[in-house]
Amino acid sequence: MVDLGLSGSLLVVVLGFVAVFCFFIGRSKSKTDGSATSTTTTTLYNGESRSKDGTEDVDIIIVGAGVAGAALAHTLGKEGRRVKVIERDLTEPDRIVGELLQPGGYLKLQELGLEDCVEKIDAQRVFGYALFKDGKSTRLSYPLEKFHSDVSGRSFHNGRFIQRMREKAAALPNVKLEQGTVTSLLEEKGIIRGVQYKTKSGEELKAYAPLTVVCDGCFSNLRRTLCDPKVEVPSCFVGLVLENCQLPHENHGHVILADPSPILFYPISSTEVRCLVDVPGQKVPSISNGEMAKYLKSVVAPQVPPEIKDAFIAAIDKGNIRTMPNRSMPAAPHPTPGALLMGDAFNMRHPLTGGGMTVALSDIVVLRDLLKPLRDLNDASTLCRYLESFYTLRKPVASTINTLAGALYKVFCASPDQARKEMREACFDYLSLGGVFSEGPVSLLSGLNPRPLSLVCHFFAVAIFGVGRLLLPFPSPKRIWIGARLISSASAIIFPIIKAEGVRQMFFPATVPAYYRKPS
């Protein structure tokens, strides 16, 4: 009996040692694999889960909750990531841009499950453009025949759209939106570890995450850390709202090729039409002393279609005139471990073509698909090398829309140069031909055909069309000279834009090493 008791005691001791050993192995394993578990299941996140230093346990911090930030938060939240969004002002924005979503952007919105965000905000469907020049007009329709009947452009109040997306994101249990101003990125040994921010009440706090995505808009104060920003301001938009007026072509955007630069009209609700008057340069006439009203009435009003001229004058007299600088900035990232740039903080183009939101939503789809197979975001250097492919994979859509926006703006602006005048006239007449001549450029404009090579072909087809008009029926030395300058002018417009976008990334993305990187 004694021997059996000793054996039983020894057995208990051995089993005890095994249990303790397994316990510590389990704790060690949970520490190394914990982040993987948290990203593959949707964890209830209400700000109560904190690490030892008192900071919230999140996978991704998003700086900014505009179109890009709110859409990204919802997308990553649906993927099971724990997301913290810090936005400077969570009240409804009131902007005069970001009001037109192209059909290509709407398709991306559907892909992200956010298409209901254009509902219940009095958004208007847009089916194409009407182009006006010197009393002539032509209508350009989106090539939507192959798509579901719900697919079209949408125009709306920017703030209403953003609030709907914020509500969708905040409804997810693992996404937290907080109002605060991010003052700096927290860096340690070349790796971004999180952000320092000031809360609405003025309290200085720090937040940490394996990945920080900066999308705090065109006025970003953080982009210099993550890219080489070369911001140009080619012009300013002067914004007005026309009330209870009927546009010449219902459910279409209207572009007037005016002097000195284009004028845009498009509906933003069932009773309101947005007017954006482009004023070249960085200075605009003063609103306060009446110079702006005088400029709009004397220079712009005579070039407005007669059907809406009275409403345009009434909007000027009402006095709610606003201005917004138009910024252009090629994407020039510094791949930085622990951080990524997106939205207008990363890449901007002239808003003439309304392509900004389409680029942002397309970028989110690319990033979502890249992050999907990654279980662990904590290896910053490996993640950084892997995410370099993002900058290449986004190029087909982004570079096509960016290049088209910059080139069209320069072509549509009036110029004393005869070659530029001919190019402008040729562009209008080329688009007026209909068929493939209008369908091709409009499919590029709408984001439905993200092919840079197609863009270049159409652009130079316009130039050759212009030269042909000059040389027929009988060429003269003067006309031949203007034609040569027209080709030279077209090259001078598009090639610098392509160079800034990156020739290799645009046309030969598969030759970029990062294109082939797989998650480890």
Side-chain angles (χ1 to χ4, degrees):
M1 292 291 292
V2 173
D3 291 340
L4 185 61
L6 280 171
S7 301
S9 300
L10 286 170
L11 182 63
V12 169
V13 171
V14 169
L15 288 174
F17 275 117
V18 170
V20 170
F21 178 75
C22 291
F23 172 75
F24 280 108
I25 289 294
R27 278 180 60 92
S28 175
K29 183 171 178 56
S30 69
K31 284 182 180 180
T32 57
D33 292 347
S35 58
T37 306
S38 66
T39 58
T40 53
T41 59
T42 303
T43 306
L44 183 63
Y45 173 55
N46 56 13
E48 294 176 0
S49 176
R50 294 178 179 272
S51 59
K52 288 181 180 179
D53 61 359
T55 58
E56 294 162 346
D57 186 16
V58 297
D59 301 312
I60 297 170
I61 294 170
I62 298 175
V63 182
V67 171
L72 182 63
H74 178 265
T75 301
L76 297 179
K78 281 205 310 179
E79 293 290 311
R81 309 286 185 181
R82 295 165 300 173
V83 181
K84 180 183 180 71
V85 187
I86 305 171
E87 162 59 35
R88 183 181 59 83
D89 186 357
L90 285 173
T91 59
E92 184 173 307
D94 183 15
R95 303 179 67 205
I96 65 171
V97 291
E99 298 173 318
L100 177 63
L101 180 67
Q102 297 287 3
Y106 181 76
L107 287 173
K108 297 298 179 184
L109 207 66
Q110 285 186 321
E111 197 171 341
L112 296 170
L114 289 165
E115 67 273 18
D116 57 344
C117 291
V118 296
E119 298 171 3
K120 300 178 182 178
I121 59 172
D122 200 15
Q124 303 298 297
R125 300 190 72 178
V126 179
F127 296 107
Y129 284 88
L131 208 57
F132 295 78
K133 184 181 182 297
D134 301 331
K136 300 181 292 182
S137 69
T138 186
R139 190 164 68 175
L140 312 170
S141 297
Y142 294 135
L144 301 174
E145 297 80 12
K146 298 178 182 178
F147 299 95
H148 187 272
S149 60
D150 188 49
V151 177
S152 67
R154 295 291 196 283
S155 53
F156 39 68
H157 281 270
N158 172 270
R160 296 176 188 174
F161 179 56
I162 287 175
Q163 289 301 90
R164 287 278 286 147
M165 287 204 293
R166 288 174 177 174
E167 289 165 8
K168 284 268 288 187
L172 295 173
N174 51 321
V175 175
K176 179 181 179 183
L177 267 69
E178 183 175 346
Q179 185 161 309
T181 302
V182 174
T183 52
S184 63
L185 300 174
L186 299 175
E187 185 178 339
E188 180 185 321
K189 297 180 181 178
I191 299 173
I192 303 300
R193 299 296 186 183
V195 299
Q196 182 163 327
Y197 67 104
K198 186 179 289 186
T199 66
K200 188 178 180 181
S201 61
E203 185 182 2
E204 290 275 0
L205 294 178
K206 293 179 180 179
Y208 298 91
L211 180 62
T212 299
V213 183
V214 176
C215 40
D216 54 344
C218 61
F219 300 106
S220 173
N221 63 336
L222 303 175
R223 65 161 65 102
R224 289 188 177 278
T225 311
L226 306 173
C227 78
D228 181 20
K230 295 178 181 177
V231 182
E232 294 182 6
V233 183
S235 65
C236 295
F237 267 156
V238 179
L240 298 162
V241 174
L242 283 58
E243 297 179 342
N244 299 306
C245 77
Q246 188 71 39
L247 288 168
H249 299 275
E250 193 176 0
N251 297 110
H252 281 68
H254 292 57
V255 183
I256 292 85
L257 304 191
D259 188 354
S261 53
I263 307 165
L264 307 179
F265 293 92
Y266 52 88
I268 54 173
S269 75
S270 54
T271 60
E272 299 165 298
V273 170
R274 168 67 70 197
C275 170
L276 294 174
V277 178
D278 186 85
V279 179
Q282 298 184 28
K283 291 185 178 180
V284 296
S286 171
I287 296 174
S288 58
N289 66 10
E291 286 182 7
M292 178 63 78
K294 183 179 178 181
Y295 173 82
L296 293 174
K297 287 183 178 180
S298 61
V299 176
V300 180
Q303 303 181 76
V304 170
E307 299 95 321
I308 54 177
K309 188 174 180 179
D310 288 345
F312 180 74
I313 297 293
I316 298 170
D317 291 336
K318 191 173 181 180
N320 188 20
I321 303 171
R322 301 171 61 193
T323 63
M324 175 78 180
N326 293 325
R327 291 173 168 80
S328 177
M329 186 184 76
H334 298 316
T336 306
L340 196 72
L341 266 175
M342 290 193 75
D344 282 352
F346 172 51
N347 184 203
M348 293 179 280
R349 77 289 310 147
H350 195 285
L352 173 69
T353 58
M357 290 189 289
T358 300
V359 172
L361 294 170
S362 175
D363 284 355
I364 290 168
V365 170
V366 172
L367 182 61
R368 177 201 65 183
D369 293 344
L370 280 171
L371 290 177
K372 191 170 289 188
L374 294 181
R375 295 173 59 84
D376 186 4
L377 302 180
N378 285 290
D379 188 343
S381 58
T382 301
L383 178 64
C384 179
R385 287 194 301 273
Y386 171 62
L387 287 183
E388 278 185 50
S389 58
F390 167 77
Y391 301 119
T392 301
L393 294 171
R394 69 180 293 273
K395 277 295 179 181
V397 174
S399 62
T400 300
I401 291 173
N402 293 347
T403 305
L404 183 62
L408 266 189
Y409 177 70
K410 291 183 178 180
V411 171
F412 281 178
C413 284
S415 172
D417 180 65
Q418 187 61 37
R420 290 284 294 273
K421 283 182 180 178
E422 290 292 339
M423 184 72 177
R424 191 183 194 215
E425 187 72 35
C427 187
F428 181 87
D429 290 345
Y430 181 89
L431 294 171
S432 300
L433 292 173
V436 67
F437 304 106
S438 65
E439 187 175 302
V442 172
S443 66
L444 292 162
L445 175 73
S446 62
L448 297 172
N449 176 21
R451 294 179 183 150
L453 189 59
S454 179
L455 165 61
V456 173
C457 289
H458 276 288
F459 188 80
F460 279 102
V462 170
I464 293 166
F465 175 72
V467 173
R469 287 163 16 114
L470 283 167
L471 301 184
L472 294 175
F474 302 107
S476 66
K478 181 181 179 181
R479 285 174 169 266
I480 293 172
W481 172 241
I482 294 172
R485 286 178 49 231
L486 193 157
I487 296 293
S488 175
S489 177
S491 302
I493 287 173
I494 198 167
F495 286 146
I497 303 173
I498 291 174
K499 182 181 178 183
E501 288 292 321
V503 176
R504 191 176 172 191
Q505 289 88 343
M506 272 183 75
F507 299 103
F508 311 104
T511 67
V512 179
Y515 185 87
Y516 295 100
R517 286 190 182 135
K518 302 293 181 185
S520 55

